[in-house]
Amino acid sequence: MTTTEARPTERKPPQLVDMSWDPITRIIGNLGIYTKIDFANREVVECHSTSSLFRGYSVFMKGKDPRDAGFITSRICGICGDNHTTCSDYAQQMAYGVKPPPLAEHIVNLGEAAEYMFDHTIFQDNLVFVDFCEAMVKATNPGVLARAERTEAPRGDIHGYRTIADIMKAFNPFEGEVYKEALKVSRVTREMFCLMEGRHVHPSTLYPGGVGTMPQPTAFTDYLSRLMRVIDFVKKAVAMNDDVFDFFYEALPGYEEVGRRRVLLGCWGAFQDPKVVDYRYESMNTWGKAMYVTPGIVVDGELVTNNLVDINLGLRIMLGSSYYEDWVNEDPFVTHDPLGNPVDMRHPWNQTTVPVPQKRDFDDKYSWVMSPRWFDQRTGDHLALDTGGGPLARLWTTALSGLVDTPYVKATGHSVRISLPKGESLPETTLEWRIPRWSNTIERDRARPYFVAYAAAMALQFLEEAMGMVRAGETKVFENYEVPDEAIGCGFHEAVRGVLSHHLVIKDKKIANYHPYPPTPWNASPRDMYGTPGPYEDAVQGQPIFEENGPDDFKGVDIMRTVRSFDPCLPCGVHMYVGKGKTLTTLHSPTYGANHG
């Protein structure tokens, strides 16, 4: 289908083809997408998201010394391990009743800001944008590329490219200018991370109670010098992404439906305010709202809550289509939270993981991923929240909450304004991310460079405050503590790709129960016990197909764009199988034949 053809409004007899992509990996190949595609009507009619790997961290964490939790759980992921360490430390600090010194909080914030900048850049520019680059568009939508070659880039004065096709060419893998520059930026931002957290990606200097980073002035000035080297790249990235994504809406009318689902977004918050946070559960609502990324749940555009206590109590872990035994008839670990609120048996504090390996059956059990849901007390629904790939939910909840008000970032109630200083070639710039009309593939991707800018801007504030403390002699970075005989804790953070929680139960000074929930289980969850599909499934199922290729040479680029828009833990290898697809049914009019237009 070219850019000049209107999408058909009348339904044709369906031509169903079974096509699958497995694996779509994180670092290892454990994510598969199985679809039924109607090529006659150019849409995906069914989708199942599967995971073929059982990890088992919640099983072997039991009995361990809780102080080891951060180091162990960082190995859950080979790209965002620091997010797990940070979140684990938050949970432990609640359980131990310890508050790190303010300078330690700034060091953690600086490390996490560098991680966001590193990961989002390498993912967006070296993985996501391969699906939008010249080579891919030429292979899947040559009509779109021809139009891109004739379309002036509206923000060319910022990024330096004359046409949309020029931008696409700059993202060609291994050859394009931006592709190669992004690799250099990812190296610099990783260096920034290591200055704060010691080692990437499994931090060597993060502990409950503080950090082991030596707070020397050079650590912060070295971080700042690197940050200023990438500031202009960040400004250009936002402009290039806006130009390309605006072009896709224009060139392919109806493309907003690709990856579109109901607005069901969750964000658990990031960047603690040292002046407010004390890690006590009883005050979690207060210090949660003081985070520099505001937690929240958005349903149909409405901010349902930004209270971390409410968010915590609404968590439910469902089974349905996953390979596990249920635990609801067992004795609970936690009956009430520290405020006296009842805790549901399907809450992570009470979960027990008992794997039951079996044959994959799309009518029954088909994935090792459980189905995290959030219980909406207003309606009684168990909501299949997604993270919008991380940035979309973070920006949306922060914008609606209107609580963040700093010299560099301001939430307005309908947008987020981000101010970046003068760089090597570009002047001081204020960017504004506005709440979009849709939660879809393009808006998930568009939000990512804006959040890189957000992280860079907040890093400037953290640096100023940290260096001010060092100059004032406030260099304490660790607070001692004792491990209690019994305690519970929960940590809420944002991994790069979205919501991250760790729930901890301590008995006899050992871990009695521990459940980490990263963003990908939320996004990649299968159908739950009520038959509700997970976000990948929901976003792909029903979406239109704009690729011009037919079944014989189909690349599935629109499907891949949708899955990757969620940032499924760095899908660095995708392999399609089942050959050219297996035709399930071909129904046609007996009068005109299957090929009648």
Side-chain angles (χ1 to χ4, degrees):
M1 179 173 293
T2 70
T3 58
T4 58
E5 292 179 302
R7 287 189 58 78
T9 56
E10 294 184 3
R11 302 288 298 181
K12 297 179 181 179
Q15 178 193 355
L16 294 180
V17 177
D18 186 8
M19 284 192 167
S20 307
W21 291 262
D22 192 347
I24 301 175
T25 63
R26 296 169 44 139
I27 297 301
I28 49 177
N30 66 339
L31 172 64
I33 296 294
Y34 291 72
T35 65
K36 288 182 175 62
I37 299 174
D38 180 355
F39 278 95
N41 293 291
R42 311 294 294 179
E43 70 179 18
V44 182
V45 298
E46 186 176 303
C47 176
H48 290 83
S49 169
T50 74
S51 175
S52 57
L53 179 70
F54 172 66
R55 303 299 299 279
Y57 275 79
S58 56
V59 176
F60 62 70
M61 290 290 287
K62 292 186 177 183
K64 298 289 194 298
D65 189 316
R67 294 170 294 185
D68 292 336
F71 296 105
I72 296 173
T73 58
S74 84
R75 272 68 184 176
I76 289 173
C77 184
I79 195 64
C80 57
D82 62 288
N83 302 145
H84 281 286
T85 300
T86 299
C87 195
S88 179
D89 288 349
Y90 290 168
Q92 291 178 68
Q93 282 156 190
M94 181 180 290
Y96 306 155
V98 61
K99 170 182 167 57
L103 184 57
E105 294 286 8
H106 283 311
I107 289 172
V108 172
N109 285 344
L110 284 166
E112 296 304 272
E115 172 67 4
Y116 292 134
M117 287 183 269
F118 155 74
D119 197 332
H120 282 326
T121 297
I122 199 170
F123 181 75
Q124 184 83 345
D125 295 348
N126 301 121
L127 291 168
V128 163
F129 242 94
V130 172
D131 287 336
F132 295 91
C133 76
E134 177 200 45
M136 180 62 75
V137 176
K138 182 178 181 179
T140 59
N141 293 84
V144 171
L145 182 61
R147 179 166 178 165
E149 290 169 343
R150 302 190 303 269
T151 303
E152 296 284 333
R155 300 167 181 84
D157 59 319
I158 299 173
H159 53 65
Y161 293 100
R162 187 179 67 83
T163 68
I164 299 298
D166 290 337
I167 301 174
M168 292 177 174
K169 185 176 182 180
F171 281 101
N172 280 341
F174 309 114
E175 299 174 353
E177 293 176 350
V178 177
Y179 185 95
K180 292 187 287 189
E181 187 179 1
L183 292 174
K184 295 177 182 178
V185 169
S186 69
R187 183 195 68 205
V188 173
T189 48
R190 190 179 295 201
E191 291 172 353
M192 292 161 59
F193 175 93
C194 291
L195 285 165
M196 296 298 120
E197 299 192 18
R199 179 177 59 192
H200 193 275
V201 62
H202 309 302
S204 57
T205 61
L206 297 193
Y207 324 117
V211 301
T213 306
M214 294 298 292
Q216 296 174 336
T218 53
F220 301 108
T221 55
D222 287 351
Y223 186 108
L224 177 60
S225 67
R226 286 167 172 79
L227 177 58
M228 295 309 296
R229 284 164 54 189
V230 303
I231 285 288
D232 283 351
F233 177 86
V234 175
K235 299 171 187 173
K236 293 177 183 178
V238 170
M240 284 187 287
N241 279 256
D242 277 341
D243 277 355
V244 171
F245 294 140
D246 289 349
F247 167 79
F248 262 78
Y249 281 142
E250 179 185 348
L252 293 171
Y255 207 80
E256 68 273 6
E257 296 301 320
V258 172
R260 183 180 178 185
R261 71 185 301 253
R262 182 183 175 193
V263 179
L264 296 169
L265 296 171
C267 167
W268 297 169
F271 299 144
Q272 301 289 357
D273 184 342
K275 297 185 294 296
V276 182
V277 66
D278 60 10
Y279 295 101
R280 295 174 62 250
Y281 186 92
E282 291 83 353
S283 57
M284 187 161 67
N285 176 36
T286 300
W287 53 259
K289 288 177 179 175
M291 288 181 180
Y292 291 110
V293 171
T294 311
I297 290 172
V298 179
V299 176
D300 299 329
E302 175 189 351
L303 182 66
V304 174
T305 183
N306 54 17
N307 184 334
L308 272 181
V309 174
D310 292 342
I311 290 172
N312 176 54
L313 292 172
L315 297 179
R316 301 287 186 271
I317 308 304
M318 317 292 279
L319 293 179
S321 299
S322 48
Y323 304 133
Y324 300 92
E325 283 185 8
D326 210 339
W327 60 85
V328 292
N329 294 321
E330 299 180 8
D331 293 333
F333 288 92
V334 180
T335 59
H336 292 80
D337 72 357
L339 289 169
N341 299 304
V343 176
D344 193 84
M345 195 61 197
R346 292 201 178 278
H347 189 276
W349 268 328
N350 288 323
Q351 181 186 339
T352 299
T353 302
V354 181
V356 183
Q358 56 194 279
K359 183 178 180 180
R360 182 168 57 203
D361 180 355
F362 288 130
D363 294 323
D364 188 15
K365 316 288 187 186
Y366 58 86
S367 181
W368 281 110
V369 177
M370 293 188 186
S371 296
R373 300 291 187 258
W374 190 76
F375 180 66
D376 189 345
Q377 290 187 339
R378 306 170 308 163
T379 62
D381 294 330
H382 292 82
L383 301 177
L385 302 178
D386 72 76
T387 72
L392 186 65
R394 289 196 282 271
L395 292 168
W396 209 310
T397 60
T398 299
L400 285 179
S401 294
L403 296 175
V404 175
D405 188 359
T406 76
Y408 297 100
V409 176
K410 181 177 178 58
T412 69
H414 57 83
S415 68
V416 177
R417 294 194 190 114
I418 305 160
S419 297
L420 295 175
K422 181 181 182 299
E424 293 177 349
S425 59
L426 293 176
E428 180 179 353
T429 303
T430 297
L431 307 169
E432 187 168 13
W433 177 89
R434 296 175 176 85
I435 293 176
R437 294 171 59 188
W438 310 288
S439 176
N440 64 6
T441 294
I442 280 182
E443 297 308 330
R444 291 181 205 109
D445 286 338
R446 186 199 300 271
R448 201 166 286 117
Y450 276 92
F451 195 78
V452 174
Y454 190 116
M458 287 309 308
L460 290 166
Q461 176 174 323
F462 301 144
L463 280 169
E464 290 174 3
E465 296 186 12
M467 290 191 286
M469 289 179 182
V470 172
R471 286 192 293 267
E474 300 175 21
T475 57
K476 185 177 181 180
V477 292
F478 183 79
E479 189 68 53
N480 210 351
Y481 59 88
E482 294 290 334
V483 177
D485 291 332
E486 294 190 2
I488 61 174
C490 56
F492 288 96
H493 187 39
E494 282 286 303
V496 176
R497 47 206 50 83
V499 297
L500 176 60
S501 61
H502 282 222
H503 283 79
L504 164 67
V505 179
I506 297 173
K507 291 185 177 180
D508 298 324
K509 295 185 182 293
K510 301 293 184 182
I511 294 175
N513 207 18
Y514 198 106
H515 286 281
Y517 269 95
T520 298
W522 284 87
N523 295 328
S525 63
R527 286 156 174 80
D528 61 27
M529 59 194 295
Y530 298 109
T532 304
Y536 291 171
E537 298 175 330
D538 185 38
V540 171
Q541 191 165 281
Q543 79 167 35
I545 295 296
F546 287 83
E547 181 178 337
E548 295 171 34
N549 297 322
D552 291 344
D553 53 358
F554 187 64
K555 303 291 192 298
V557 67
D558 299 307
I559 296 169
M560 292 299 99
R561 284 171 182 159
T562 292
V563 175
R564 288 196 183 98
S565 72
F566 288 96
D567 191 350
C569 231
L570 288 182
C572 52
V574 177
H575 309 281
M576 183 174 177
Y577 87 124
V578 192
K580 296 180 179 179
K582 174 184 175 184
T583 300
L584 300 181
T585 56
T586 302
L587 304 178
H588 58 84
S589 163
T591 302
Y592 297 110
N595 295 323
H596 179 70

